[in-house]
């Protein structure tokens, strides 16, 4: 049976932090290329890489980059959950079955439920992106949630999607050189949204900020 993605569902599946009701959804390249979304465990074990279509073949050959991207997001998540104590999460944390709700729809719903969403794109050697999720989210939510979205990429990353998003949706774009700088910018972004919610410049999704 399909389960609806709601703020309460997300909060219930995450650990406790100071601001439980301030949800900060973190996205990165690993999500577009998560093996669990496209292949069963048996298929992953028995796969012949050269028999795969191009995108999946590149996925397997660069899976170390994807693991590094997820590890980066986990470190950022931990930093944000500690200070300022917002409920930062990755899609995997909510554990909604992609057989019930596909990955892109999940990302749209997580963004809809979140006080803040960040697309984090490090330089990975192979330039994986978050194009599918990011484009779908922006098409669906840029008008209503644009002030709650930020795209943060390492300075060495270049992307047509990034350039077009700035023009088409007036998306906030930030760059970073170090992990510390990335965390600092995301903390300021979350703090700015909190402040705007307190002043009623942004509507409160519920009693998330007290």
């Amino acid at each position: 049976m399909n389960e609806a993605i709601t703020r309460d569902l997300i909060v219930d599946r995450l650990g406790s932090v100071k601001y439980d009701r301030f949800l900060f959804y973190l996205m990165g390249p690993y999500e577009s290329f998560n093996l669990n979304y496209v292949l069963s465990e048996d298929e992953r074990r028995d796969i012949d890489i050269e028999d795969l279509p191009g995108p999946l073949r590149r996925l397997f050959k660069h899976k170390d980059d994807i693991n590094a991207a997820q590890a980066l997001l986990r470190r950022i998540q931990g930093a944000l959950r500690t200070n300022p104590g917002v409920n930062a999460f990755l899609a995997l944390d909510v554990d909604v079955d992609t057989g019930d709700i596909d990955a892109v729809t999940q990302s749209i719903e997580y963004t809809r439920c979140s006080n803040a969403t960040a697309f984090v794109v490090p330089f990975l050697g192979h330039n994986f992106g978050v194009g599918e999720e990011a484009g779908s989210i922006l098409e669906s939510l840029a008008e209503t949630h644009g002030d709650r979205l930020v795209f943060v990429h390492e300075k060495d990353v270049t992307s047509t999607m990034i350039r077009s998003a700035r023009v088409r949706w007036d998306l906030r774009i930030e760059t970073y050189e170090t992990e510390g700088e990335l965390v600092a910018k995301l903390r300021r972004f979350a703090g700015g949204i909190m402040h705007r919610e307190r002043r009623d410049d942004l509507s409160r999704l519920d009693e998330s900020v007290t």
Side-chain angles (χ1 to χ4, degrees):
M1 183 176 66
N2 291 1
E3 56 185 331
I5 295 175
T6 65
R7 284 177 59 81
D8 286 339
L9 173 74
I10 297 170
V11 171
D12 287 346
R13 294 188 177 180
L14 303 177
S16 178
V17 292
K18 182 177 180 179
Y19 298 106
D20 283 343
R21 303 294 297 183
F22 190 98
L23 299 177
F24 196 153
Y25 178 34
L26 299 174
M27 296 182 62
Y30 84 94
E31 293 179 15
S32 291
F33 303 95
N34 188 330
L35 294 178
N36 295 317
Y37 287 166
V38 292
L39 295 172
S40 70
E41 184 176 350
D42 287 341
E43 288 171 328
R44 293 195 301 275
R45 184 172 54 247
D46 299 331
I47 198 73
D48 184 341
I49 295 175
E50 296 307 319
D51 289 341
L52 290 170
L56 287 182
R57 187 166 59 251
R58 289 193 296 273
L59 160 63
F60 274 84
K61 289 183 176 179
H62 296 275
K63 60 177 181 268
D64 288 343
D65 283 343
I66 299 163
N67 293 337
Q70 184 173 345
L72 171 66
L73 284 191
R74 286 298 187 197
R75 293 193 298 272
I76 295 166
Q77 176 189 18
L80 294 173
R81 291 176 69 84
T82 301
N83 176 21
V86 295
N87 215 346
F89 71 99
L90 279 58
L92 299 175
D93 299 330
V94 187
D95 195 27
V96 172
D97 191 340
T98 54
D100 293 336
I101 306 174
D102 68 85
V104 173
T105 300
Q106 284 188 35
S107 287
I108 293 171
E109 292 307 308
Y110 294 147
T111 301
R112 193 189 310 276
C113 291
S114 294
N115 301 74
T117 295
F119 308 99
V120 178
V121 185
F123 182 75
L124 298 174
H126 183 87
N127 198 10
F128 286 122
V130 290
E132 183 179 11
E133 285 93 341
S136 296
I137 287 170
L138 290 167
E139 285 284 0
S140 300
L141 299 176
E143 185 172 340
T144 58
H145 283 61
D147 288 342
R148 300 181 183 275
L149 304 173
V150 65
F151 201 112
V152 192
H153 66 91
E154 198 165 356
K155 282 196 172 181
D156 288 338
V157 172
T158 58
S159 168
T160 301
M161 185 271 170
I162 296 173
R163 291 190 293 270
S164 63
R166 186 194 297 272
V167 173
R168 181 171 181 178
W169 292 290
D170 194 27
L171 179 65
R172 178 172 175 172
I173 307 288
E174 301 275 1
T175 61
Y176 72 94
E177 292 186 354
T178 67
E179 189 170 322
E181 183 183 3
L182 170 60
V183 170
K185 288 192 174 187
L186 292 177
R187 282 176 174 152
R188 285 197 296 272
F189 180 64
I193 291 177
M194 279 186 168
H195 184 59
R196 292 184 65 185
E197 288 187 359
R198 289 191 179 110
R199 293 187 312 173
D200 292 326
D201 283 351
L202 280 176
S203 60
R204 299 191 185 195
L205 301 184
D206 58 16
E207 296 303 316
S208 58
V209 180
T210 59

